Amino acid sequence: MTETRDPHPADATLDFLRSVFPPEWREPALGQGAVSDWERDNAVILPEPYRTFIAEISNGSAVGPADDGGLQPLGWLPDTWLGVGPRQPGKPFPLEAAWPWEDDESTGLGDPRITAAFNHGSVVLGSEEGPAFWLLVTTGPHRGEVWMITDAGAAPMPGDQAWGFEEWVRHWHTGHGWWD
């Protein structure tokens, strides 16, 4: 594991996260030991505050971001997942900037760069109709950022100044659509 553990999130951050996920819709938290085991097995240290959220508050929630099914439990994939091959959250996240591969004539079906974008250096937070998927980048210079990946491309959300996990949840909690 090349990433270092982030500082523990502020109490205000954790209080906010607890407040927006109704207890009756939360999946049980994993606990610090189970999160550490998952990190060891996947050769990655999860970014904060997501790490503490799944360890201490909730490992997913049917109510919450993303709009289609809520927040996925750690390591789970939506039924509509487009990725092929094994997920490898500890491998380097391959993108440095948004990449609309549908417009890139150098790509084709089975392009290993697209496969890597789906499978390396991230965890899947959830899905939207489309299909489109929210990723939390776990490695490299974009570690801690939320990206969206679809069959047409991938990009940090909402743009070059990508949200972290807390900002993503805050935007969802405002009740505004993702594209407002």
Side-chain angles (χ1 to χ4, degrees):
M1 291 185 258
T2 59
E3 304 297 335
T4 58
R5 184 159 290 156
D6 301 325
H8 193 270
D11 288 343
T13 295
L14 298 176
D15 290 345
F16 165 73
L17 292 171
R18 278 185 198 92
S19 75
V20 300
F21 292 94
E24 64 272 16
W25 291 99
R26 295 180 197 165
E27 293 297 324
L30 292 178
Q32 293 292 343
V35 171
S36 293
D37 291 347
W38 187 93
E39 289 173 325
R40 184 191 65 248
D41 293 347
N42 288 277
V44 69
I45 295 173
L46 295 168
E48 292 289 0
Y50 177 74
R51 183 184 195 283
T52 297
F53 176 79
I54 61 168
E56 298 178 6
I57 300 171
S58 177
N59 182 30
S61 174
V63 172
D67 290 335
D68 189 10
L71 182 64
Q72 289 287 150
L74 178 63
W76 289 30
L77 297 173
D79 293 339
T80 56
W81 180 246
L82 298 175
V84 295
R87 298 270 311 134
Q88 297 176 308
K91 283 211 160 193
F93 184 68
L95 303 180
E96 295 180 17
W99 180 28
W101 51 71
E102 72 176 353
D103 298 332
D104 186 342
E105 293 179 11
S106 72
T107 64
L109 216 51
D111 187 304
R113 298 172 297 168
I114 295 172
T115 300
F118 272 94
N119 292 321
H120 296 173
S122 67
V123 293
V124 179
L125 296 174
S127 63
E128 300 291 328
E129 290 184 28
F133 307 93
W134 296 104
L135 304 178
L136 178 64
V137 177
T138 56
T139 61
H142 294 285
R143 182 176 187 274
E145 293 181 1
V146 175
W147 283 52
M148 179 163 274
I149 191 166
T150 71
D151 58 348
M157 294 306 294
D160 291 339
Q161 299 300 312
W163 292 316
F165 179 72
E166 179 184 359
E167 292 83 11
W168 181 66
V169 172
R170 282 186 185 278
H171 185 83
W172 162 76
H173 185 63
T174 66
H176 299 297
W178 291 117
W179 321 119
D180 295 343

